[in-house]
Amino acid sequence: MSKYKPIEIMKHTSVFNVADMGEQELNNFCISQFANGKWEAHTFHIFDKYASKYKVMVDIGAWIGITPMYASTKYNRVIAYEVDREALLRLKANLNVNPLMDNIILVEKAISDKNGTAQFGCKDQFGDSESSLFQTKNSYEVETTTLQTSLLELGVEIHTIGLIKMDIEGAEKLVIPNIIPLLRAFKTPLYLSIHHNAMSEKEMGKMLVPLFETYNTARIYNESGSFLDVGLSDIMKNKFNDITFSNESVF
């Protein structure tokens, strides 16, 4: 039983609980910024677009649980990756006030380009959603895994994945080149947050060129769910960050 009172919130057609940890607590973000539609509204339109009760959603960088909990109401299963210790406290508290939400698998490992360990640090403070393998402040050791290794260990067949969401504060420059063979083979839709300040133009190109060779569309969605198709030069020149790569049917 959770020690926190559950607070019911609603987003689009999804209803679930968050843990009441106090108005001044980080977890109140779920109520103040998410439930009333102010925070990353485009993200949830993307989740809706690819939603399927027969598919798995992979959430790399699950933070305090907002995205995996929402996705759990739309997909058959959610694989949620998070290693920020402060974020994990809130994520687990939120899962505890949703005892019937049993389709989220929490993996406390950092997705990277190799299996092993690495230092994980913060920019200002842990839990603020900006911690990563590329921050050094107050760093501690975490276990790392490739996405392929983790999915194999979990018994998740790649063709069952309906969407991969990745928001890992710069570590995408390690992960994307590593998973290109997977993406090319299965054309799994990828919702990628790009952190331009964490990589050079050369690193950006190494990451993006294979994605444009793999998918026929790259789109930016707005808060109403409308989208704009963009190209490689658009992303690099305008520093667009939240891009959805997919293979859309052309009629």
Side-chain angles (χ1 to χ4, degrees), residues 175-247:
V175 177
I176 293 298
N178 181 259
I179 66 171
I180 282 296
L182 177 156
L183 299 177
R184 282 181 175 161
F186 294 93
K187 304 296 188 295
T188 307
L190 171 70
Y191 173 32
L192 176 66
S193 289
I194 302 172
H195 298 81
H196 293 260
N197 61 345
M199 64 190 81
S200 66
E201 186 171 311
K202 182 178 180 179
E203 290 172 323
M204 182 77 68
K206 183 179 179 181
M207 181 181 73
L208 290 178
V209 169
L211 289 176
F212 276 93
E213 293 172 346
T214 300
Y215 298 102
N216 65 17
T217 61
R219 291 175 172 173
I220 297 175
Y221 285 79
N222 65 20
E223 62 182 14
S224 67
S226 299
F227 63 82
L228 173 69
D229 287 334
V230 295
L232 175 61
S233 61
D234 297 319
I235 297 172
M236 298 186 73
K237 178 180 178 180
N238 298 297
K239 297 188 183 301
F240 293 137
N241 48 15
D242 288 352
I243 314 295
T244 303
F245 294 91
S246 63
N247 270 20

Side-chain angles (χ1 to χ4, degrees), residues 30-235:
C30 300
I31 303 164
S32 64
Q33 299 298 316
F34 166 65
N36 63 13
K38 292 181 180 179
W39 181 70
E40 295 192 5
H42 62 285
T43 292
F44 304 97
H45 287 295
I46 294 167
F47 288 178
D48 290 350
K49 174 178 173 59
Y50 296 101
S52 170
K53 288 294 187 177
Y54 300 99
K55 293 287 187 176
V56 175
M57 187 270 202
V58 174
D59 192 336
I60 306 174
W63 194 35
I64 58 178
I66 297 173
T67 51
M69 288 193 297
Y70 180 87
S72 75
T73 70
K74 304 286 183 175
Y75 295 80
N76 180 264
R77 280 192 295 166
V78 178
I79 315 299
Y81 296 91
E82 184 57 62
V83 291
D84 182 315
R85 56 195 177 196
E86 293 298 323
L88 278 168
L89 288 174
R90 281 81 184 173
L91 194 162
K92 291 177 180 178
N94 288 329
L95 293 181
N96 283 338
V97 294
N98 290 278
L100 299 180
M101 193 175 280
D102 59 359
N103 63 338
I104 298 176
I105 299 172
L106 176 59
V107 181
E108 296 180 43
K109 297 180 182 180
I111 296 297
S112 187
D113 58 343
K114 58 178 66 72
N115 302 314
T117 60
Q119 291 296 305
F120 184 86
C122 63
K123 181 179 181 180
D124 295 310
Q125 60 184 6
F126 288 109
D128 65 2
S129 81
E130 295 187 304
S131 54
S132 83
L133 296 174
F134 288 97
Q135 298 293 347
T136 58
K137 183 179 179 181
N138 298 324
S139 66
Y140 56 92
E141 189 174 81
V142 298
E143 188 174 355
T144 64
T145 179
T146 66
L147 181 60
Q148 295 92 322
T149 296
S150 181
L151 294 176
L152 181 63
E153 290 175 346
L154 294 170
V156 176
E157 296 183 14
I158 296 172
H159 70 86
T160 66
I161 300 173
L163 178 67
I164 298 173
K165 168 249 176 189
M166 186 182 303
D167 186 357
I168 47 178
E169 305 299 315
E172 63 271 17
K173 68 183 180 183
L174 298 178
V175 177
I176 293 298
N178 181 259
I179 66 171
I180 282 296
L182 177 156
L183 299 177
R184 282 181 175 161
F186 294 93
K187 304 296 188 295
T188 307
L190 171 70
Y191 173 32
L192 176 66
S193 289
I194 302 172
H195 298 81
H196 293 260
N197 61 345
M199 64 190 81
S200 66
E201 186 171 311
K202 182 178 180 179
E203 290 172 323
M204 182 77 68
K206 183 179 179 181
M207 181 181 73
L208 290 178
V209 169
L211 289 176
F212 276 93
E213 293 172 346
T214 300
Y215 298 102
N216 65 17
T217 61
R219 291 175 172 173
I220 297 175
Y221 285 79
N222 65 20
E223 62 182 14
S224 67
S226 299
F227 63 82
L228 173 69
D229 287 334
V230 295
L232 175 61
S233 61
D234 297 319
I235 297 172

